Amino acid sequence: MKDTKRIALISVHGDPAVEIGKEEAGGQNVYVRQVGEALAKQGWQVDMFTRKSSATQASVVEHHPNCRTIRLVAGPEKFIPRQKIYDNLPEFVKSLLKFQQAEGIEYQLVHTNYWLSAAVGMELKKVQPIKQIHTYHSLGAVKYNSVSTIPLIANTRLGIEKACLETAERIVATSPQEKEHMRSLVSKKGNIEIIPCGTDIERFGSVSRAEARAQLGISEDSLVVLYVGRFDRRKGIETLVRAMSRSTLRGEANLKLIIAGGSRPGKSDGLERDRIEEIVDEVGIRDLTEFPGRVSHQELPNYYAAANLCVVPSHYEPFGLVAIEAMASGTPVVASDVGGLQFTVVSEKTGLLCPPQDDAAFAVAIDRILSQPSWQVELATAARTRVESLFSWHGVAAQLSELYDEVLSEPMESRGPVSA
Ligand code: UDP
């Protein structure tokens, strides 16, 4: 028998092969794709399963000889927002079983991502001998605390998240803060390991500020504040816009705000984009604000490197890849003092943390960094060092690989609820 180490990564709604930064595509897609590719380089045979969301999409995309995305048919072959995908999960499980049969594969280990995929993993465990590792990416128990309207699907989600924590062989928390939330808000039972998210430290950090500014046509003396991410209320772009309007540097001709991300008008992030543009006009900072739209990972290193600082003003952030991408690029980060950002950003050392939604505090933090160029350099150097030592994809995949080996070597009987 061939000694192949095989892993199925499941990401029902976050297709690892799509362009990032559009609609709902964000951190999860990046995580699954990067983890998959890095694991393949470390000797794993990686199959990444997602839902086919357009008839024109390829059913299989090869990223590396040992790493492919497989798009399973589950419901109509069109985009379905994540809160409406649940009903299609039985068909997803059926398609996955059929795929295994057709390929003559039986996975022994599945790493599921987000609660929808957790449900798929738990169903698979009922019908085949398979172990489950799960990464939440977002916890319903935290999310529903910070939104005003709770969707219908909330109870189902909370139930699945609790059952998964208690029954999966391992849960991967991406920060100590996320682990703490699982324990205080979800369950005291279950095995949790902390393995952070990562970033491409070769890509981010490959270009100097001068080169990046020349590429983007930004003058050397500009003071550039950058946001990168989806247009979603939870991301707190409004806080950043209001903070910029309060900045004491506002009168300076060289102050610039770049808000990168989002998709074409009329797509699902269009409403938040419109709302943000209205606030930009209302507070009178249109002349210093730019919206370049979605920026690819090829171009993003230029944006991060060109910026004097990057702002991550999320109301809540389970991890927040943008913060470590900026830090890897040698750019200090001003972020909300929440979730994974408390782990990645060390306040006063690699950037500053502010209370979420507090535009006055963000304005002070932005001004403090912009007005002290030599401190900016110190923060930037410490930020890059922190990412190199803790958050490279290679390092993250090595930790996951060790965890997979450990779980695979445990007897099947050891599964089941265990105390913390
Ligand atoms: N992103 C991108 N282009 C954009 C906007 C975002 O490539 O125009 C990427 C960004 O670089 C990061 C991911 O989308 O890798 C966002 O991840 P994060 O964890 O910050 O937020 P999420 O979208 O998961 O809430």
Side-chain angles (χ1 to χ4, degrees):
M1 224 181 82
K2 251 196 331 171
D3 185 24
T4 320
K5 300 206 284 184
R6 233 180 239 292
I7 176 80
L9 297 179
I10 303 193
S11 176
V12 176
H13 86 282
D15 183 335
V18 296
E19 277 183 275
I20 309 302
K22 272 189 180 173
E23 286 157 22
E24 292 189 337
Q28 182 177 325
N29 311 58
V30 173
Y31 176 90
V32 175
R33 169 78 171 269
Q34 296 293 337
V35 158
E37 289 191 12
L39 285 167
K41 287 185 198 139
Q42 292 173 27
W44 289 83
Q45 186 79 44
V46 184
D47 287 338
M48 309 189 285
F49 292 93
T50 192
R51 199 187 72 83
K52 194 167 183 192
S53 64
S54 145
T56 57
Q57 281 177 329
S59 294
V60 177
V61 182
E62 299 267 353
H63 304 288
H64 176 277
N66 291 336
C67 176
R68 54 188 176 165
T69 293
I70 296 140
R71 296 188 172 115
L72 300 176
V73 174
E77 293 178 36
K78 60 175 198 189
F79 174 76
I80 305 179
R82 65 180 97 172
Q83 58 278 16
K84 301 221 169 110
I85 290 181
Y86 183 71
D87 292 343
N88 300 300
L89 295 184
E91 199 183 338
F92 191 94
V93 173
K94 231 187 256 166
S95 297
L96 184 42
L97 292 171
K98 233 198 247 163
F99 178 87
Q100 291 184 78
Q101 208 171 28
E103 297 259 320
I105 299 170
E106 192 174 70
Y107 299 104
Q108 293 173 8
L109 185 61
V110 68
H111 182 165
T112 52
N113 293 274
Y114 197 62
W115 72 273
L116 292 165
S117 310
V120 170
M122 290 193 297
E123 280 308 305
L124 284 178
K125 285 175 92 170
K126 291 183 189 161
V127 293
Q128 71 182 79
I130 192 166
K131 294 171 177 169
Q132 183 178 15
I133 293 180
H134 181 69
T135 304
Y136 283 97
H137 295 276
S138 152
L139 278 173
V142 175
K143 182 179 171 136
Y144 301 139
N145 271 340
S146 67
V147 296
S148 44
T149 43
I150 297 196
L152 276 177
I153 197 78
N155 281 337
T156 310
R157 173 174 178 175
L158 294 172
I160 288 170
E161 289 188 339
K162 182 166 189 287
C164 181
L165 173 52
E166 295 180 347
T167 61
E169 273 65 22
R170 292 294 190 288
I171 298 295
V172 174
T174 53
S175 67
Q177 290 73 13
E178 195 188 10
K179 176 175 176 177
E180 183 39 42
H181 277 136
M182 289 173 199
R183 284 288 176 246
S184 59
L185 301 172
V186 184
S187 176
K188 297 275 181 265
K189 292 182 194 156
N191 282 319
I192 305 174
E193 293 265 336
I194 298 171
I195 300 179
C197 287
T199 193
D200 185 338
I201 59 169
E202 271 93 50
R203 180 187 295 278
F204 295 111
S206 58
V207 49
S208 70
R209 181 175 293 168
E211 281 171 76
R213 288 195 173 189
Q215 287 280 336
L216 297 174
I218 298 174
S219 66
E220 260 174 56
D221 67 340
S222 291
L223 292 174
V224 181
V225 176
L226 174 70
Y227 167 87
V228 175
R230 291 179 293 119
F231 278 82
D232 177 323
R233 228 175 230 242
R234 172 177 77 77
K235 290 290 182 185
I237 307 173
E238 173 173 359
T239 307
L240 169 59
V241 170
R242 296 198 183 277
M244 290 298 283
S245 79
R246 285 167 166 264
S247 168
T248 53
L249 299 161
R250 189 174 157 186
E252 313 268 329
N254 56 357
L255 186 63
K256 217 174 169 50
L257 171 63
I258 302 178
I259 301 180
S263 58
R264 285 157 289 150
K267 289 287 180 174
S268 59
D269 64 9
L271 289 178
E272 178 64 359
R273 164 82 180 254
D274 294 347
R275 199 180 73 86
I276 294 299
E277 295 218 31
E278 273 165 29
I279 300 170
V280 165
D281 289 333
E282 172 205 318
V283 301
I285 59 163
R286 172 66 66 177
D287 52 334
L288 57 95
T289 309
E290 264 179 41
F291 292 93
R294 195 194 77 82
V295 178
S296 71
H297 267 204
Q298 277 71 38
E299 302 167 279
L300 260 180
N302 282 334
Y303 281 82
Y304 286 124
N308 293 82
L309 67 92
C310 178
V311 180
V312 186
S314 314
H315 301 172
Y316 173 67
E317 198 61 74
F319 185 80
L321 285 172
V322 164
I324 56 170
E325 289 167 3
M327 289 163 66
S329 310
T331 303
V333 174
V334 171
S336 297
D337 193 4
V338 294
L341 298 167
Q342 296 172 321
F343 174 47
T344 50
V345 179
V346 185
S347 204
E348 304 287 341
K349 293 273 182 296
T350 70
L352 289 169
L353 291 172
C354 304
Q357 307 192 55
D358 184 340
D359 36 90
F362 272 87
V364 170
I366 291 168
D367 286 354
R368 266 185 73 194
I369 295 183
L370 287 185
S371 59
Q372 300 181 74
S374 60
W375 190 42
Q376 237 177 75
V377 175
E378 272 172 48
L379 294 171
T381 311
R384 171 76 195 179
T385 308
R386 183 164 175 79
V387 175
E388 279 173 6
S389 60
L390 289 177
F391 307 119
S392 75
W393 280 123
H394 177 80
V396 169
Q399 293 174 68
L400 285 172
S401 173
E402 215 172 283
L403 178 65
Y404 295 169
D405 281 335
E406 185 181 304
V407 169
L408 280 172
S409 70
E410 291 167 358
M412 214 59 178
E413 302 77 69
S414 76
R415 77 159 47 152
V418 239
S419 291

mmCIF file of all heavy atoms in Angstrom, residues 20-21 25-28 30 204 228-230 234-235 260-262 293-297 300 304 317 320-322 325, ligand 1:
data_model
loop_
_atom_site.group_PDB
_atom_site.id
_atom_site.type_symbol
_atom_site.label_atom_id
_atom_site.label_comp_id
_atom_site.label_asym_id
_atom_site.label_seq_id
_atom_site.Cartn_x
_atom_site.Cartn_y
_atom_site.Cartn_z
ATOM 1 N N ILE A 20 -9.769 36.573 -4.324
ATOM 2 C CA ILE A 20 -10.038 37.010 -2.948
ATOM 3 C C ILE A 20 -10.448 38.494 -2.930
ATOM 4 O O ILE A 20 -10.011 39.268 -3.761
ATOM 5 C CB ILE A 20 -8.768 36.835 -2.093
ATOM 6 C CG1 ILE A 20 -8.221 35.419 -2.245
ATOM 7 C CG2 ILE A 20 -9.019 37.162 -0.633
ATOM 8 C CD1 ILE A 20 -9.163 34.319 -1.876
ATOM 9 N N GLY A 21 -11.272 38.843 -1.940
ATOM 10 C CA GLY A 21 -11.605 40.265 -1.764
ATOM 11 C C GLY A 21 -12.947 40.641 -2.361
ATOM 12 O O GLY A 21 -13.427 41.743 -2.201
ATOM 13 N N ALA A 25 -15.728 36.480 -0.365
ATOM 14 C CA ALA A 25 -14.409 35.832 -0.348
ATOM 15 C C ALA A 25 -13.444 36.655 0.492
ATOM 16 O O ALA A 25 -13.243 37.830 0.251
ATOM 17 C CB ALA A 25 -13.894 35.675 -1.769
ATOM 18 N N GLY A 26 -12.861 36.041 1.488
ATOM 19 C CA GLY A 26 -11.954 36.782 2.375
ATOM 20 C C GLY A 26 -10.957 35.850 3.023
ATOM 21 O O GLY A 26 -10.377 34.981 2.368
ATOM 22 N N GLY A 27 -10.794 36.025 4.336
ATOM 23 C CA GLY A 27 -9.752 35.321 5.065
ATOM 24 C C GLY A 27 -9.825 33.799 4.991
ATOM 25 O O GLY A 27 -8.808 33.133 4.909
ATOM 26 N N GLN A 28 -11.054 33.263 5.006
ATOM 27 C CA GLN A 28 -11.164 31.804 5.005
ATOM 28 C C GLN A 28 -10.641 31.197 3.708
ATOM 29 O O GLN A 28 -9.957 30.177 3.710
ATOM 30 C CB GLN A 28 -12.617 31.392 5.241
ATOM 31 C CG GLN A 28 -12.789 29.880 5.300
ATOM 32 C CD GLN A 28 -14.215 29.491 5.611
ATOM 33 O OE1 GLN A 28 -14.902 30.171 6.366
ATOM 34 N NE2 GLN A 28 -14.681 28.403 5.032
ATOM 35 N N VAL A 30 -8.390 32.445 1.775
ATOM 36 C CA VAL A 30 -6.930 32.572 1.788
ATOM 37 C C VAL A 30 -6.327 31.491 2.681
ATOM 38 O O VAL A 30 -5.380 30.799 2.306
ATOM 39 C CB VAL A 30 -6.511 33.971 2.308
ATOM 40 C CG1 VAL A 30 -5.005 34.066 2.486
ATOM 41 C CG2 VAL A 30 -7.001 35.064 1.368
ATOM 42 N N PHE A 204 4.666 39.480 0.974
ATOM 43 C CA PHE A 204 4.460 40.722 1.716
ATOM 44 C C PHE A 204 5.778 41.119 2.383
ATOM 45 O O PHE A 204 6.281 40.413 3.239
ATOM 46 C CB PHE A 204 3.332 40.563 2.741
ATOM 47 C CG PHE A 204 2.004 40.314 2.087
ATOM 48 C CD1 PHE A 204 1.381 39.083 2.197
ATOM 49 C CD2 PHE A 204 1.407 41.295 1.311
ATOM 50 C CE1 PHE A 204 0.154 38.840 1.575
ATOM 51 C CE2 PHE A 204 0.193 41.069 0.678
ATOM 52 C CZ PHE A 204 -0.432 39.838 0.809
ATOM 53 N N VAL A 228 -7.722 47.616 4.057
ATOM 54 C CA VAL A 228 -7.871 46.537 3.069
ATOM 55 C C VAL A 228 -8.892 45.558 3.624
ATOM 56 O O VAL A 228 -8.767 45.128 4.779
ATOM 57 C CB VAL A 228 -6.531 45.779 2.842
ATOM 58 C CG1 VAL A 228 -6.730 44.583 1.918
ATOM 59 C CG2 VAL A 228 -5.465 46.715 2.278
ATOM 60 N N GLY A 229 -9.892 45.194 2.812
ATOM 61 C CA GLY A 229 -10.832 44.178 3.292
ATOM 62 C C GLY A 229 -12.187 44.295 2.639
ATOM 63 O O GLY A 229 -12.401 45.111 1.750
ATOM 64 N N ARG A 230 -13.065 43.442 3.108
ATOM 65 C CA ARG A 230 -14.414 43.422 2.547
ATOM 66 C C ARG A 230 -15.207 44.629 3.030
ATOM 67 O O ARG A 230 -14.895 45.229 4.053
ATOM 68 C CB ARG A 230 -15.130 42.144 2.996
ATOM 69 C CG ARG A 230 -14.557 40.907 2.373
ATOM 70 C CD ARG A 230 -15.262 39.640 2.853
ATOM 71 N NE ARG A 230 -15.040 39.376 4.258
ATOM 72 C CZ ARG A 230 -15.995 39.314 5.173
ATOM 73 N NH1 ARG A 230 -17.256 39.526 4.837
ATOM 74 N NH2 ARG A 230 -15.720 39.053 6.427
ATOM 75 N N ARG A 234 -19.387 44.925 9.929
ATOM 76 C CA ARG A 234 -18.543 44.423 11.013
ATOM 77 C C ARG A 234 -17.091 44.877 10.876
ATOM 78 O O ARG A 234 -16.335 44.909 11.843
ATOM 79 C CB ARG A 234 -18.628 42.888 11.015
ATOM 80 C CG ARG A 234 -17.669 42.197 11.954
ATOM 81 C CD ARG A 234 -17.860 40.689 11.966
ATOM 82 N NE ARG A 234 -17.299 39.985 10.830
ATOM 83 C CZ ARG A 234 -15.992 39.718 10.672
ATOM 84 N NH1 ARG A 234 -15.107 40.117 11.555
ATOM 85 N NH2 ARG A 234 -15.577 39.042 9.627
ATOM 86 N N LYS A 235 -16.712 45.231 9.654
ATOM 87 C CA LYS A 235 -15.319 45.631 9.420
ATOM 88 C C LYS A 235 -15.023 47.047 9.940
ATOM 89 O O LYS A 235 -13.877 47.458 9.997
ATOM 90 C CB LYS A 235 -14.987 45.530 7.931
ATOM 91 C CG LYS A 235 -14.927 44.090 7.433
ATOM 92 C CD LYS A 235 -13.713 43.403 8.004
ATOM 93 C CE LYS A 235 -13.566 41.979 7.502
ATOM 94 N NZ LYS A 235 -12.435 41.302 8.165
ATOM 95 N N ALA A 260 -9.272 49.896 0.193
ATOM 96 C CA ALA A 260 -9.186 48.865 -0.858
ATOM 97 C C ALA A 260 -10.069 47.675 -0.520
ATOM 98 O O ALA A 260 -10.171 47.274 0.637
ATOM 99 C CB ALA A 260 -7.738 48.406 -1.001
ATOM 100 N N GLY A 261 -10.690 47.103 -1.571
ATOM 101 C CA GLY A 261 -11.525 45.913 -1.391
ATOM 102 C C GLY A 261 -12.886 46.125 -2.017
ATOM 103 O O GLY A 261 -13.189 47.204 -2.523
ATOM 104 N N GLY A 262 -13.684 45.054 -1.980
ATOM 105 C CA GLY A 262 -15.040 45.173 -2.513
ATOM 106 C C GLY A 262 -15.130 44.715 -3.949
ATOM 107 O O GLY A 262 -14.122 44.424 -4.592
ATOM 108 N N GLY A 293 -11.063 49.631 -5.282
ATOM 109 C CA GLY A 293 -11.788 48.372 -5.511
ATOM 110 C C GLY A 293 -10.934 47.191 -5.085
ATOM 111 O O GLY A 293 -9.967 47.343 -4.336
ATOM 112 N N ARG A 294 -11.319 46.009 -5.585
ATOM 113 C CA ARG A 294 -10.587 44.814 -5.166
ATOM 114 C C ARG A 294 -9.147 44.854 -5.680
ATOM 115 O O ARG A 294 -8.901 45.176 -6.830
ATOM 116 C CB ARG A 294 -11.268 43.575 -5.742
ATOM 117 C CG ARG A 294 -10.828 42.281 -5.112
ATOM 118 C CD ARG A 294 -11.281 41.096 -5.942
ATOM 119 N NE ARG A 294 -10.428 40.956 -7.117
ATOM 120 C CZ ARG A 294 -9.240 40.353 -7.103
ATOM 121 N NH1 ARG A 294 -8.770 39.831 -5.994
ATOM 122 N NH2 ARG A 294 -8.524 40.274 -8.209
ATOM 123 N N VAL A 295 -8.221 44.526 -4.816
ATOM 124 C CA VAL A 295 -6.809 44.518 -5.203
ATOM 125 C C VAL A 295 -6.309 43.084 -5.066
ATOM 126 O O VAL A 295 -6.549 42.434 -4.040
ATOM 127 C CB VAL A 295 -5.990 45.453 -4.272
ATOM 128 C CG1 VAL A 295 -4.529 45.404 -4.630
ATOM 129 C CG2 VAL A 295 -6.514 46.887 -4.353
ATOM 130 N N SER A 296 -5.649 42.553 -6.090
ATOM 131 C CA SER A 296 -5.207 41.145 -6.051
ATOM 132 C C SER A 296 -4.000 40.992 -5.132
ATOM 133 O O SER A 296 -3.334 41.974 -4.783
ATOM 134 C CB SER A 296 -4.819 40.687 -7.449
ATOM 135 O OG SER A 296 -3.610 41.318 -7.803
ATOM 136 N N HIS A 297 -3.701 39.750 -4.754
ATOM 137 C CA HIS A 297 -2.531 39.522 -3.903
ATOM 138 C C HIS A 297 -1.225 39.834 -4.642
ATOM 139 O O HIS A 297 -0.192 39.998 -4.017
ATOM 140 C CB HIS A 297 -2.541 38.095 -3.338
ATOM 141 C CG HIS A 297 -3.189 38.020 -1.986
ATOM 142 N ND1 HIS A 297 -2.942 37.047 -1.066
ATOM 143 C CD2 HIS A 297 -4.088 38.864 -1.393
ATOM 144 C CE1 HIS A 297 -3.645 37.273 0.033
ATOM 145 N NE2 HIS A 297 -4.358 38.353 -0.150
ATOM 146 N N LEU A 300 -1.267 43.737 -3.961
ATOM 147 C CA LEU A 300 -1.406 44.203 -2.575
ATOM 148 C C LEU A 300 -0.100 44.589 -1.880
ATOM 149 O O LEU A 300 -0.071 45.561 -1.123
ATOM 150 C CB LEU A 300 -2.134 43.156 -1.729
ATOM 151 C CG LEU A 300 -3.608 43.389 -1.467
ATOM 152 C CD1 LEU A 300 -4.172 42.248 -0.613
ATOM 153 C CD2 LEU A 300 -3.880 44.715 -0.767
ATOM 154 N N TYR A 304 0.357 47.860 0.720
ATOM 155 C CA TYR A 304 0.807 47.823 2.119
ATOM 156 C C TYR A 304 2.125 48.592 2.272
ATOM 157 O O TYR A 304 2.319 49.330 3.237
ATOM 158 C CB TYR A 304 1.021 46.386 2.585
ATOM 159 C CG TYR A 304 -0.244 45.598 2.832
ATOM 160 C CD1 TYR A 304 -0.482 44.393 2.180
ATOM 161 C CD2 TYR A 304 -1.190 46.029 3.768
ATOM 162 C CE1 TYR A 304 -1.623 43.635 2.432
ATOM 163 C CE2 TYR A 304 -2.335 45.282 4.021
ATOM 164 C CZ TYR A 304 -2.549 44.086 3.353
ATOM 165 O OH TYR A 304 -3.679 43.348 3.601
ATOM 166 N N GLU A 317 -12.956 40.560 15.274
ATOM 167 C CA GLU A 317 -12.116 39.903 14.266
ATOM 168 C C GLU A 317 -11.552 38.617 14.867
ATOM 169 O O GLU A 317 -10.751 38.671 15.789
ATOM 170 C CB GLU A 317 -10.977 40.862 13.872
ATOM 171 C CG GLU A 317 -10.286 40.562 12.587
ATOM 172 C CD GLU A 317 -11.185 40.614 11.358
ATOM 173 O OE1 GLU A 317 -11.563 41.706 10.902
ATOM 174 O OE2 GLU A 317 -11.513 39.529 10.865
ATOM 175 N N GLY A 320 -7.921 38.027 11.581
ATOM 176 C CA GLY A 320 -7.580 39.269 10.881
ATOM 177 C C GLY A 320 -6.276 39.169 10.105
ATOM 178 O O GLY A 320 -5.225 39.629 10.547
ATOM 179 N N LEU A 321 -6.379 38.546 8.911
ATOM 180 C CA LEU A 321 -5.165 38.363 8.091
ATOM 181 C C LEU A 321 -4.551 39.687 7.660
ATOM 182 O O LEU A 321 -3.332 39.806 7.539
ATOM 183 C CB LEU A 321 -5.507 37.545 6.838
ATOM 184 C CG LEU A 321 -5.715 36.044 7.050
ATOM 185 C CD1 LEU A 321 -6.239 35.403 5.762
ATOM 186 C CD2 LEU A 321 -4.412 35.368 7.471
ATOM 187 N N VAL A 322 -5.416 40.687 7.424
ATOM 188 C CA VAL A 322 -4.905 41.959 6.912
ATOM 189 C C VAL A 322 -3.842 42.539 7.858
ATOM 190 O O VAL A 322 -2.824 43.062 7.412
ATOM 191 C CB VAL A 322 -6.075 42.940 6.666
ATOM 192 C CG1 VAL A 322 -5.579 44.365 6.516
ATOM 193 C CG2 VAL A 322 -6.846 42.505 5.419
ATOM 194 N N GLU A 325 -0.583 40.798 7.199
ATOM 195 C CA GLU A 325 -0.059 41.125 5.859
ATOM 196 C C GLU A 325 0.626 42.494 5.913
ATOM 197 O O GLU A 325 1.710 42.686 5.371
ATOM 198 C CB GLU A 325 -1.189 41.122 4.828
ATOM 199 C CG GLU A 325 -1.717 39.714 4.538
ATOM 200 C CD GLU A 325 -3.042 39.700 3.772
ATOM 201 O OE1 GLU A 325 -3.552 40.780 3.400
ATOM 202 O OE2 GLU A 325 -3.562 38.592 3.542
HETATM 203 N N1 UDP B 1 -8.145 40.860 0.237
HETATM 204 C C1 UDP B 1 -7.616 40.961 -1.038
HETATM 205 N N2 UDP B 1 -7.992 42.010 -1.809
HETATM 206 C C2 UDP B 1 -8.843 42.953 -1.397
HETATM 207 C C3 UDP B 1 -9.383 42.864 -0.086
HETATM 208 C C4 UDP B 1 -9.003 41.789 0.711
HETATM 209 O O1 UDP B 1 -6.827 40.131 -1.462
HETATM 210 O O2 UDP B 1 -9.121 43.871 -2.158
HETATM 211 C C5 UDP B 1 -7.694 39.744 1.119
HETATM 212 C C6 UDP B 1 -6.744 40.219 2.191
HETATM 213 O O3 UDP B 1 -5.469 40.410 1.642
HETATM 214 C C7 UDP B 1 -6.839 39.103 3.219
HETATM 215 C C8 UDP B 1 -8.294 38.641 3.083
HETATM 216 O O4 UDP B 1 -8.776 39.153 1.836
HETATM 217 O O5 UDP B 1 -5.951 38.050 2.893
HETATM 218 C C9 UDP B 1 -9.158 39.168 4.212
HETATM 219 O O6 UDP B 1 -8.927 38.410 5.370
HETATM 220 P P1 UDP B 1 -9.258 38.904 6.852
HETATM 221 O O7 UDP B 1 -8.936 37.773 7.787
HETATM 222 O O8 UDP B 1 -8.553 40.170 7.143
HETATM 223 O O9 UDP B 1 -10.814 39.220 6.851
HETATM 224 P P2 UDP B 1 -12.132 38.346 6.463
HETATM 225 O O10 UDP B 1 -12.453 38.699 5.056
HETATM 226 O O11 UDP B 1 -11.803 36.901 6.653
HETATM 227 O O12 UDP B 1 -13.183 38.802 7.417
#
